[in-house]
Amino acid sequence: METRDWSLVIFTVLTQAAVGAFLTLQVLEHLATRRDRGASGRATDGPQNNSPARGGAQADEHEAGSARESSGARALAARGPLPAPLLVVLAVLSVGLFAALFHLSTPLQAVRAVVNFSSSWLSREIVFGSLFAALLSALVWHEWRTAGAAAASPAPERHAAGSAASGSAPATPTPAGQAFRSPAPANALSADPTSLAPATWLPRFTAAAGLAFICCQIAIYLLPAQPAWNSFATPAAFGGTALRLGILGVAAGFAVRNLTAGVDDPAPADPGGSGVAPAATLREGKVIRSFRVSDGGSGVAPAATLRGLALAGIAALALEFVVVPLHLSSLSANPLPAAAASVQRLTVDYSGILLLRLGLLGAAAAALVGVLVTIRRAAGPSAPSPPSLASVLTCVAFGLTVASEVCGRFLFYAMQVRVGI
Amino acid sequence: MSDTKQQVAFFFDANRCTGCRTCEVACKVENGVELGPRWRKVRTVEGDQDGGPYMYHVSMSCNHCEVPVCAEACPSGAITKRSDGIVIVDESKCIGARLCAWACPYDAPQFSEETGKMEKCNFCSHRIDAGTGGPACAEACPTKALQWGTLDEVAAKAGATAEFGPLPDADITKPAIRFIPLKLVHS
């Protein structure tokens, strides 16, 4: 593999991770919102259940609207918490897009890469990649602005509405009030489809642009001149990377959040200065804003979220153990000498890296099984937060998967053999 | 796509080529191609068939395909197909993404480390345009193994085929070249 191709390894892995993480966050947000809506109107109890139900959602939307209208300039001045998860995704995406420039021999002319949109998949890739980045930036700004607007609106009204919605929320500022202060975060799946608010369409367009971005990346490599690429293995590789790094990246975000709780809480999430206790704050808030899942009064806590992500992660890791043998066998059955040469590269020239790739994936899966076992042994998925060991193991699994994906993408470019002589 | 009556094309007879590489040298000299990129390459094919070994050469450059996948893949629109079928690279528009090199089944686009641009056979379009002759490679071939003409002309030659032994399926790009494959003679 040529040195220049390393920029493509970084570009494809990071941008696919960014799209995967964005979609994972959207799915989690959707599940949390749906769960909260299901729990609306139900009386809640227990130490972790003092959050107002998010259905909650309707009153929340109303609050958000009135907060935005009433606060005006105060909103920006108030500066709500930055939506950390989205910012991390945007940062990863930006580094990935920047790395792509170094594949070009004339990076300063990169803007010309969009000229041939009508026939070149690379042009389309750059257009949709840029669109995804632009929409994601707009979403970050929207989240930050609405959170600030909510924080700047008068507290007593908000809290009154919160109490009404949850039925039993405390009468003094609490984590419940804190969580409720934020208007409904944008979500592609669960927002009211008839609404014209940015919170409805912005995440949907962002998700669509991200998916289109990955589809264009895949289409670039479906070249009849390259048998090893012109196969189901390319969508499986790129989609698989997005799934694995997206799911485990978000899981690692939760894990880091859990491990560092008390370090960065509650200051950034508490512009109103209500003095929310870190341990309680951890269980409140919104997924795309702070790597938190509101329990929504349903009794489901972050341990369940981590458990769900670990299960999904294991499935995504297992996918590769199906794809690699199928790809090798389909290449072996291909009569073209170029296909046989690619098999040779994978199984002889770079067999060590292939084994390392699969070994790292296996180790990551083992770490995720450890996460499941640890959570089960602690207090079960209904525990308010997962044990530290589960968080550490989640981060280990993510790290191993990142290393494995880099190996896998190296192999992707290294196995390339053109047809003909 | 251009009219096939006007599409220029190469013709290669594997029975006549001696592997002397005069075509390669003529190309280098005519177009001032620096060390490294090879717009035309003579490759040698060896094998064993019908109880005997065989060996022959293949001289090939860009085949100015009727379906130029290089131009389709190029993100910056640097590669275009002229009305006479010649596929040319505008190096001023090339950004060096090298997608054309991945897409081409014939290894025709050549990356120049010197300029950071892709370059390839232009069918000596300057000679065609000036009316001073055809591609230097074909005109320099001492055995007439390599010739040129319109696609209709070369396709009409006796025994000419589009598919040729070790080359990729011609359906991928519909290359503007016709071959006379090696006739095996074993005693």
Side-chain angles (χ1 to χ4, degrees):
Chain A
M1 192 176 81
E2 292 181 51
T3 315
R4 205 183 318 238
D5 286 344
W6 277 108
S7 65
L8 293 180
V9 171
I10 295 168
F11 164 65
T12 54
V13 168
L14 290 189
T15 54
Q16 285 156 20
V19 173
F22 179 77
L23 295 177
T24 304
L25 287 168
Q26 288 295 316
V27 169
L28 281 180
E29 188 74 48
H30 170 67
L31 293 177
T33 307
R34 201 173 63 175
R35 196 173 59 223
D36 292 353
R37 280 180 182 163
S40 70
R42 205 190 301 159
T44 59
D45 54 23
Q48 72 274 28
N49 286 344
N50 53 3
S51 124
R54 288 257 306 110
Q58 276 193 333
D60 231 7
E61 296 278 11
H62 175 71
E63 273 302 307
S66 60
R68 277 194 288 274
E69 286 159 21
S70 64
S71 54
R74 271 193 302 152
L76 286 175
R79 284 194 185 138
L82 287 166
L86 289 184
L87 272 181
V88 172
V89 172
L90 185 59
V92 169
L93 178 70
S94 303
V95 173
L97 289 172
F98 187 68
L101 293 178
F102 295 95
H103 176 66
L104 305 178
S105 57
T106 52
L108 291 176
Q109 293 183 39
V111 71
R112 283 201 59 86
V114 302
V115 168
N116 203 12
F117 185 85
S118 63
S119 81
S120 170
W121 283 107
L122 192 139
S123 291
R124 295 167 189 165
E125 175 198 44
I126 300 305
V127 166
F128 283 109
S130 305
L131 190 64
F132 179 58
L135 290 171
L136 188 58
S137 304
L139 192 59
V140 167
W141 183 78
H142 174 259
E143 284 300 307
W144 174 75
R145 187 174 172 276
T146 52
S153 66
E157 286 173 28
R158 288 196 310 273
H159 198 261
S163 300
S166 65
S168 65
T172 53
T174 64
Q178 169 63 25
F180 193 68
R181 196 162 293 141
S182 300
N187 181 247
L189 299 169
S190 51
D192 175 9
T194 60
S195 169
L196 290 176
T200 301
W201 59 262
L202 198 49
R204 289 183 185 182
F205 280 96
T206 310
L211 284 173
F213 181 30
I214 291 198
C215 288
C216 293
Q217 284 189 338
I218 291 167
I220 286 174
Y221 295 93
L222 299 181
L223 299 166
Q226 311 283 352
W229 287 347
N230 192 25
S231 120
F232 75 94
T234 297
F238 288 11
T241 298
L243 276 177
R244 287 184 284 273
L245 292 184
I247 292 168
L248 294 181
V250 170
F254 278 108
V256 169
R257 183 84 200 182
N258 286 348
L259 291 170
T260 59
V263 176
D264 58 350
D265 275 331
D270 188 25
S274 59
V276 177
T281 311
L282 184 66
R283 298 187 293 271
E284 307 299 340
K286 309 298 176 285
V287 179
I288 63 171
R289 283 197 181 146
S290 57
F291 280 125
R292 297 171 192 170
V293 177
S294 164
D295 56 49
S298 65
V300 179
T305 304
L306 206 56
R307 183 171 162 272
L309 287 168
L311 279 169
I314 289 170
L317 292 170
L319 177 69
E320 190 65 5
F321 288 92
V322 178
V323 170
V324 168
L326 280 180
H327 187 216
L328 284 175
S329 67
S330 80
L331 278 179
S332 301
N334 190 326
L336 291 171
S342 288
V343 172
Q344 163 97 5
R345 290 204 182 170
L346 287 171
T347 58
V348 180
D349 302 350
Y350 296 108
S351 58
I353 295 177
L354 182 61
L355 288 175
L356 178 64
R357 151 112 171 120
L358 295 176
L360 287 167
L361 285 184
L368 290 178
V369 170
V371 170
L372 297 178
V373 171
T374 312
I375 289 176
R376 178 178 283 267
R377 279 199 186 156
S382 61
S385 64
S388 293
L389 181 58
S391 295
V392 171
L393 284 173
T394 303
C395 293
V396 168
F398 176 61
L400 291 169
T401 307
V402 169
S404 178
E405 291 300 330
V406 171
C407 293
R409 199 49 48 84
F410 168 85
L411 289 171
F412 179 83
Y413 289 104
M415 73 180 173
Q416 171 217 3
V417 180
R418 180 190 292 102
V419 295
I421 54 175
Chain B
M1 190 180 297
S2 61
D3 186 339
T4 50
K5 283 181 181 167
Q6 292 186 342
Q7 164 83 53
V8 293
F10 285 113
F11 171 81
F12 180 76
D13 185 344
N15 301 281
R16 292 182 174 219
C17 180
T18 62
C20 69
R21 301 192 177 209
T22 300
C23 51
E24 274 201 51
V25 174
C27 173
K28 282 265 187 196
V29 172
E30 177 68 26
N31 296 290
V33 182
E34 74 270 29
L35 197 66
R38 293 165 70 188
W39 291 10
R40 175 166 288 280
K41 288 182 197 170
V42 176
R43 298 169 171 94
T44 300
V45 179
E46 296 175 11
D48 197 327
Q49 190 178 311
D50 299 336
Y54 64 84
M55 185 270 278
Y56 62 91
H57 311 284
V58 185
S59 171
M60 208 165 52
S61 65
C62 170
N63 293 319
H64 303 276
C65 304
E66 293 185 79
V67 182
V69 291
C70 54
E72 288 174 10
C74 174
S76 63
I79 306 180
T80 51
K81 190 170 175 67
R82 305 194 336 172
S83 60
D84 59 1
I86 298 177
V87 177
I88 51 170
V89 179
D90 181 344
E91 290 184 25
S92 70
K93 291 182 178 175
C94 175
I95 59 174
R98 301 184 296 171
L99 263 281
C100 53
W102 281 350
C104 174
Y106 303 102
D107 196 20
Q110 301 283 299
F111 185 73
S112 167
E113 294 291 345
E114 196 174 297
T115 63
K117 308 277 186 181
M118 297 303 293
E119 51 185 54
K120 68 170 198 63
C121 162
N122 57 19
F123 214 86
C124 288
S125 57
H126 53 285
R127 291 164 64 114
I128 302 261
D129 292 345
T132 55
C137 53
E139 301 207 339
C141 178
T143 63
K144 291 207 169 187
L146 184 64
Q147 301 176 37
W148 74 282
T150 65
L151 185 55
D152 283 353
E153 286 169 359
V154 301
K157 289 179 184 284
T161 63
E163 300 287 351
F164 180 50
L167 295 185
D169 187 344
D171 283 342
I172 299 176
T173 62
K174 300 193 183 308
I177 185 169
R178 293 296 179 267
F179 303 93
I180 305 285
L182 185 70
K183 295 177 182 68
L184 290 174
V185 182
H186 292 301
S187 54

